[in-house]
Amino acid sequence: MNHSFIWQGRKDGEGVDHLRIHQVINTSPRADFALIGFSSDEGVKRNKGRLGAADAPDSIRAQLANLPVHQPITIADIGTVICDGSKLEQAQAELAEQVERSLKQRMKPIVLGGGHEVAFGSFSGLFQYVQNCEPNKKIGIINFDAHFDLREAENVTSGTPFLNAAQLSEQHHQEFHYLCIGVAKHSNTKVLFETADRLNCTYIYDHQLQPKNVENIISKVQDFIGKVDYLYITVDLDVFSASIAPGVSAPAVKGIDLSVFDPLLAAIKETGKIKVFDVAECNPRLDLDSRTSKLAAYIIFNYIFD
């Protein structure tokens, strides 16, 4: 684990009403949330995408640092898992260990990616925790993403994490519950739709994600959540319009809007079932004015605070 990031930022005054996130990080022996960075480009490289997401964890931390604290909260920064060269599988296993350890310590992990290969590490950590500690619980995955990420490949990539998760579930005779929100028809081949249907995945197209449809979408999401006990939520930032998320490997031609995403996340959070949360595909090298890192920090802020 790498612990090189220094939390610092603006200080407006004394007292709790002036606090910002950088002032509450690592100030308690027991924390409500655990930040875990995942510095990896290897999955994107294998998937022939544009590199740069390995720089995301500290870029997101920098945007989180000055955000205000509106309620008593404790956050621990566990550090960053770094993918050493091409050793992606090893990095995913290390991330899984950190996620599982955080859950055992009754913290909610928030993972800062990194290519979307982060998802298999995050999921594996929750899966291991459930297998070892609560084997009767059912896990559901909700992926905000323009892509299914159900590709078949010889090795794990940023395009395979949910097929990898399905295979892991099958190996342990567990049901696979997967909801993908924001699927773009023009960004997924016919075989990916066939794979999603074969695995009984639920999906919602990007063009359906309109403000006028929010209540119906929330109802569909709640139906999915009702079938599981715990949730792993992953937000691939390429699900958003390129105007607010330019710093991703595959910028969206259409994308979804925060006016739809925000109430969906709020409704999911309200269920109390989220155990692991991550953001993925933030690419600071391709960003404009840190828009995408700021978006990632904004999403995490809304997840943490009521």
Side-chain angles (χ1 to χ4, degrees):
M1 296 292 286
N2 182 279
H3 301 274
S4 63
F5 185 79
I6 298 174
W7 286 91
Q8 57 188 356
R10 179 171 173 166
K11 295 181 181 179
D12 292 334
E14 301 298 325
V16 295
D17 292 341
H18 295 285
L19 287 176
R20 297 176 183 270
I21 287 178
H22 72 89
Q23 294 170 284
V24 302
I25 292 283
N26 297 330
T27 58
S28 173
R30 184 204 164 276
D32 302 307
F33 296 93
L35 294 180
I36 307 171
F38 186 72
S39 176
S40 172
D41 265 328
E42 179 61 22
V44 176
K45 180 180 179 181
R46 295 179 186 182
N47 202 33
K48 299 179 174 58
R50 300 189 298 171
L51 304 186
D55 299 334
D58 284 357
S59 181
I60 298 171
R61 284 183 174 103
Q63 296 303 325
L64 280 170
N66 274 324
L67 296 184
V69 175
H70 285 281
Q71 66 199 57
I73 204 79
T74 51
I75 307 172
D77 185 357
I78 306 301
T80 297
V81 174
I82 296 179
C83 179
D84 182 11
S86 62
K87 297 177 182 177
L88 175 55
E89 291 81 358
Q90 181 177 318
Q92 288 174 319
E94 183 180 350
L95 174 59
E97 290 176 9
Q98 295 296 333
V99 167
E100 182 184 11
R101 182 177 296 117
S102 298
L103 290 168
K104 286 181 176 178
Q105 294 174 355
R106 300 186 180 279
M107 295 188 288
K108 292 184 177 182
I110 300 173
V111 185
L112 315 176
H116 215 177
E117 62 266 30
V118 66
F120 186 55
S122 295
F123 173 80
S124 296
L126 177 55
F127 191 87
Q128 290 169 192
Y129 168 80
V130 168
Q131 289 287 299
N132 294 328
C133 301
E134 300 186 65
N136 296 320
K137 299 295 186 181
K138 295 180 181 179
I139 300 172
I141 301 169
I142 298 181
N143 175 30
F144 288 90
D145 200 338
H147 310 92
F148 281 119
D149 287 347
L150 290 166
R151 291 177 184 270
E152 292 189 25
E154 291 184 9
N155 298 304
V156 298
T157 76
S158 61
T160 68
F162 304 109
L163 184 60
N164 301 145
Q167 293 165 340
L168 179 62
S169 300
E170 183 180 14
Q171 290 166 13
H172 290 81
H173 309 289
Q174 299 296 314
E175 293 180 76
F176 179 59
H177 298 278
Y178 176 47
L179 167 61
C180 190
I181 302 176
V183 172
K185 194 169 184 178
H186 62 275
S187 297
N188 296 271
T189 61
K190 184 179 178 183
V191 72
L192 289 170
F193 280 96
E194 291 171 350
T195 301
D197 293 338
R198 175 173 56 82
L199 293 171
N200 295 315
C201 302
T202 306
Y203 49 92
I204 300 171
Y205 288 106
D206 56 352
H207 65 79
Q208 295 175 299
L209 296 169
Q210 303 292 332
K212 64 181 180 181
N213 295 332
V214 166
E215 289 188 12
N216 290 333
I217 296 167
I218 288 175
S219 179
K220 188 171 184 177
V221 171
Q222 288 173 334
D223 287 344
F224 172 85
I225 294 174
K227 300 173 185 176
V228 302
D229 302 295
Y230 291 148
L231 291 171
Y232 159 46
I233 308 298
T234 179
V235 182
D236 186 326
L237 295 167
D238 71 19
V239 76
F240 296 100
S241 166
S243 62
I244 61 171
V248 294
S249 180
V253 173
K254 180 176 176 59
I256 69 172
D257 193 79
L258 288 173
S259 63
V260 176
F261 175 83
D262 285 348
L264 285 179
L265 179 59
I268 296 168
K269 190 171 78 166
E270 199 172 86
T271 67
K273 292 185 177 183
I274 302 177
K275 294 291 279 187
V276 179
F277 188 94
D278 71 31
V279 292
E281 296 287 352
C282 179
N283 189 327
R285 296 184 201 173
L286 301 173
D287 212 356
L288 299 173
D289 195 30
S290 301
R291 287 183 206 170
T292 314
S293 297
K294 289 175 181 176
L295 174 61
Y298 167 84
I299 291 168
I300 293 167
F301 176 89
N302 285 340
Y303 169 58
I304 291 175
F305 296 104
D306 295 331

